[in-house]
Amino acid sequence: MSLLEKDLSELHNLLVSKEITSVDVTKATFDRIRETEEQVGSFITLDEEHAMELAKNIDAKGITTDNVLAGLPIGIKDNIVTNGLKTTAASRMLENFVPIYDATVMEKIYQADMIPVGKLNMDEFAMGGSTETSYFKKTKNPWNLEKVPGGSSGGSAAAVASGQVLMSLGSDTGGSIRQPASFTGIVGLKPTYGRVSRYGLIAFASSLDQIGPLTRTVRDNAYVLNAISGYDAKDGTSAGVSVPDFTAKLTGDIKGLKIGVPKEYLADGLQPEVKEAVLKAIETYKELGATVEEVSLPHSQYGVAVYYIIASSEASSNLSRFDGIRYGYRSENVTNLEDVYINSRSEGFGMEVKRRIMLGTFALSSGYYDAYFKKAGQVRTLIKQDFEKVFESYDLILGPAAPTTAYGIGEKLDNPLTMYLNDILTIPVNLAGNPGISIPCGFDQEGLPIGLQLIGKHFDEATIYQAADAFEQATTFHQERPNL
């Protein structure tokens, strides 16, 4: 059995007993990447020399029983800055950008003795839902190479699903961890806003972005969240809340748990197989002893409109720093200063990024600010209050992670609106700042994975993991593998 077929705790036990070394696992990881990368296209940059050096040092130091992630490889989404390693956000604008510091999550990864193996492909500046807007390559879904892996963390999801790495980091602004996890049949968690430091994450929409883990199993996911969580003085939005051990409640017992299912999440527009898989999952939860009842989130229907005004406005502000002057791409085709700004931004940004910058600049402009941005902020508050009301009586909210399974490459690229609507079930969670997870709950007729979404109260990832793990123990969907 390949090393990469085991879960993190199995590998940890083998490392502690010295049956294998960190060098063995890291070498197996790069062998697997070489074997599959041409088909899948998950990585933008590999860092093999540094990874092997880290592995040797960790083996020499020895691995203690309490450090479950030590000596194990991890993939990093390419919008998380890495000291000395190219960080591009999948954009021509940052094609040759090499940061001189590490993001806080990278510092935590090194503290835990994990081994970053490279930077993963994504939608440019995290804008997109299919990993097709990357300047460098299109990542493919390991379950069917004609299909998208979802986005924007498509590289992070595809790398885990194809067995290139056992864990990766993504970022989630409106569903960018949960939707690709759903499309590729793995576990992806968006933590509560403020749980994980955003320092060193290249910003798309600062009030929505969160870094989170993608793994094959729920327990593995909880281990990674343990390692990357915590207060960070360098991030003004970081929450000073204590970090529990997220694996503590993974007992399989969820008797008495109250779960609400929003009627809006099972309305028209869902692929029939997705609806059927979610209804079956509800029955599984009832058999496990949970109470499942219908609830309502009446304002979630406005989520997509609110999100695209707020996210685009914040993006237009955040991306103004990429101007061809300080760092990043600078056009050669210039005769004066105005040309430097206009041509550098015109040539450096892709189509989807330009679309969102223009949308955001319009929404923030004089005369439109009150009508659009302010109104969106008010409706965002109503969406948040909907969640708060449900969580007065329920522990979790359950629904599909995406309305459909993975669609074909190129299928929705010319129609951005249908692609935007694909995030209709994940977006409200970001607007409210709640944590949410996607776990595999079935397959459609084509054999493509279906994701189940569980949403929790602020800073209550532990209950999400408890319910997700119980479902995982009761089913076998997480054991299925794509046939590459």
Side-chain angles (χ1 to χ4, degrees), residues 172-173 193 198 201-211 430:
D172 190 311
T173 307
Y193 185 77
R198 291 188 305 110
L201 174 69
I202 295 173
F204 160 17
S206 311
S207 74
L208 300 160
D209 300 337
Q210 262 300 275
I211 295 171
N430 295 75

Side-chain angles (χ1 to χ4, degrees), residues 41 43-45 78 86-97 120-124 131-139:
F43 283 90
I44 292 178
T45 309
D78 206 19
K86 208 160 69 164
T87 301
T88 68
S91 178
R92 185 182 190 185
M93 185 56 85
L94 293 174
E95 191 175 1
N96 299 307
F97 173 57
L120 292 154
N121 196 28
M122 55 184 278
D123 281 300
E124 184 184 4
T131 315
E132 293 175 283
T133 69
S134 168
Y135 173 65
F136 299 98
K137 56 167 74 168
K138 284 181 175 46
T139 300

Side-chain angles (χ1 to χ4, degrees), residues 262-322:
K263 59 183 185 205
E264 295 82 2
Y265 282 20
L266 291 174
D268 298 344
L270 277 191
Q271 189 176 322
E273 295 137 301
V274 171
K275 189 170 185 174
E276 192 187 330
V278 171
L279 292 174
K280 277 187 185 158
I282 290 170
E283 291 312 309
T284 304
Y285 274 111
K286 287 179 180 170
E287 285 161 23
L288 291 168
T291 309
V292 187
E293 294 170 348
E294 187 181 273
V295 295
S296 178
L297 295 171
H299 295 96
S300 59
Q301 59 175 318
Y302 307 115
V304 174
V306 168
Y307 172 83
Y308 278 99
I309 291 170
I310 291 175
S312 299
S313 299
E314 293 185 15
S316 122
S317 168
N318 277 326
L319 298 187
S320 61
R321 70 192 74 166
F322 303 108

